[in-house]
Amino acid sequence: MSATMLRTSALRSIPRSFAASVQATTPRSSVLNSALRASLKTSARPARASRILAVTAFQPLPKALVRHAHNAHMYDIDKAEKALHERVLQPIPEQVSTESSTRHVSGEVRSKAADDEDVDMMAGIRSDFNTIKETFSLASVPREAMYVGLAGVVPYLLTSLTTVYLSFDIQYAANHGQGFLMSGELAESLLHIIEPIQLGYGASIISFLGAIHWGLEWAGYGGFKGYPRYSMGIIATAVAWPTLLLSAEVGLITQFLAFTFLYYNDARASARGWAPPWYGVYRFVLTFIVGASIVASLIGRGQIADLVTRPPGPADKYRELRAKQMADIGPEPEGEEEEEGEEEGDDE
């Protein structure tokens, strides 16, 4: 009995285990089948045309062409030409004249002015020359100020030309044994006399240019500016007079820089309304003449730098004066020193 029950339970358990194994293998096979089915669908999917290509290929015709094709049968070309041929021209006396339908001979030929405008390659250069001419003409400057200003630069110009000629004569004497109009020694002596004259006159002019701003301040031109305007005159004087203590070349270069700075300062003052409107152009012309004179003097002196002796400067003159004073005093006598020593010993 027990054996029969054991056999029956074993037989019942066999189908259950087989069913469980079948259920366990079913998900794996279903996954494989779904993957295979998806790959087959992907490979068998038909290719779709691009939307851009579709729009390009099936783009409708423009509306104007469609409208023309639709209305072409309604427009009779022959009839329109016949109506235009039969139209009568209406007279318009105010627009029709004896010369309205003719063409003048001058209209076929280009004017000379037009040719000049086309081939005028010098227009820019001519404009620049006109600007320079207007600047140096000093048309806006009062006549009195122009005459006095030009007369003021004449001494500076003359000293510069004299320096150039003396330099030429010294060089000529060194090359030929004698000067062109004077001896080399005389030319060198005159050159040493001209140097302080040119430097002194330049210092005076620089101081005067600074003093002009003091006069404008006292007159209240453009308003009272106070110390900013007074400082222009102070700086000019402080720079001008120390140049007399320098050597000729260094003094001339310093004065050239001073003139240039004062022109810049005066041009700014004129633009700001601190000076008359014409003062900037006026100062430019005068500064140009003075600057050219200084450059000519420096070039002339540069040609004879190794042919002339260096004139004694302020320091040399001071040392010479000191040595002369010491020579006049002389050494103290030795006898007097001994007598003074003996008298001091007796007193003790």
Side-chain angles (χ1 to χ4, degrees):
M1 185 68 179
S2 60
T4 304
M5 294 178 62
L6 180 62
R7 192 180 298 113
T8 304
S9 60
L11 292 174
R12 290 178 180 175
S13 62
I14 291 174
R16 293 178 182 176
S17 61
F18 180 77
S21 63
V22 171
Q23 290 178 358
T25 57
T26 300
R28 184 179 301 174
S29 62
S30 63
V31 171
L32 294 176
N33 292 335
S34 61
L36 180 61
R37 191 180 300 109
S39 62
L40 292 175
K41 289 182 179 180
T42 303
S43 60
R45 183 179 300 170
R48 294 183 180 179
S50 175
R51 293 184 178 181
I52 300 176
L53 296 177
V55 171
T56 305
F58 299 101
Q59 185 177 6
L61 293 174
K63 295 181 179 180
L65 297 178
V66 175
R67 190 181 300 109
H68 175 73
H70 180 71
N71 300 331
H73 66 281
M74 300 175 58
Y75 184 77
D76 191 353
I77 298 177
D78 297 336
K79 184 177 180 180
E81 290 181 352
K82 184 178 180 181
L84 183 62
H85 179 70
E86 294 177 353
R87 182 183 299 176
V88 179
L89 297 177
Q90 300 295 330
I92 308 176
E94 61 274 8
Q95 296 182 3
V96 179
S97 63
T98 57
E99 298 180 355
S100 61
S101 60
T102 60
R103 188 177 183 88
H104 296 282
V105 178
S106 60
E108 302 292 338
V109 182
R110 299 184 63 184
S111 62
K112 185 177 180 181
D115 294 338
D116 294 340
E117 292 178 359
D118 292 341
V119 300
D120 190 6
M121 305 298 294
M122 303 293 291
I125 299 177
R126 190 179 297 108
S127 176
D128 295 338
F129 274 109
N130 291 334
T131 302
I132 296 173
K133 181 180 178 181
E134 292 175 0
T135 301
F136 282 90
S137 64
L138 301 176
S140 59
V141 179
R143 299 296 95 182
E144 296 82 0
M146 183 181 68
Y147 296 149
V148 174
L150 293 177
V153 299
V154 169
Y156 214 100
L157 184 61
L158 291 178
T159 54
S160 177
L161 295 177
T162 304
T163 301
V164 172
Y165 172 74
L166 293 176
S167 301
F168 163 76
D169 218 340
I170 293 172
Q171 190 175 13
Y172 189 89
N175 295 332
H176 299 84
Q178 60 180 2
F180 187 76
L181 293 179
M182 62 185 71
S183 62
E185 293 78 8
L186 179 59
E188 184 176 353
S189 300
L190 293 177
L191 182 64
H192 293 329
I193 295 174
I194 291 295
E195 290 174 358
I197 294 176
Q198 188 175 14
L199 288 174
Y201 189 76
S204 302
I205 294 297
I206 293 174
S207 300
F208 176 77
L209 293 176
I212 289 177
H213 294 281
W214 283 46
L216 294 174
E217 177 65 21
W218 291 343
Y221 189 91
F224 295 95
K225 307 302 178 182
Y227 289 110
R229 183 178 273 174
Y230 283 123
S231 62
M232 298 178 185
I234 297 173
I235 294 174
T237 305
V239 173
W241 292 106
T243 57
L244 301 180
L245 303 177
L246 304 174
S247 61
E249 292 81 1
V250 179
L252 289 175
I253 294 173
T254 305
Q255 289 189 1
F256 178 83
L257 297 177
F259 277 113
T260 305
F261 171 75
L262 288 177
Y263 162 68
Y264 169 74
N265 192 26
D266 293 343
R268 288 187 59 190
S270 179
R272 291 180 177 180
W274 294 11
W278 50 265
Y279 191 62
V281 178
Y282 176 72
R283 286 283 291 109
F284 171 77
V285 175
L286 299 183
T287 304
F288 178 82
I289 298 174
V290 173
S293 302
I294 294 176
V295 171
S297 298
L298 292 174
I299 293 175
R301 292 189 60 84
Q303 298 295 326
I304 57 171
D306 54 344
L307 300 177
V308 296
T309 58
R310 180 177 176 273
D316 299 332
K317 293 180 180 179
Y318 174 76
R319 284 193 292 267
E320 184 181 355
L321 179 62
R322 183 65 177 174
K324 184 178 180 181
Q325 291 177 350
M326 295 300 295
D328 294 340
I329 294 174
E332 296 182 357
E334 297 180 357
E336 294 180 358
E337 293 180 356
E338 294 178 356
E339 292 178 357
E340 291 178 358
E342 293 177 357
E343 291 178 357
E344 292 178 357
D346 295 338
D347 294 339
E348 292 177 356

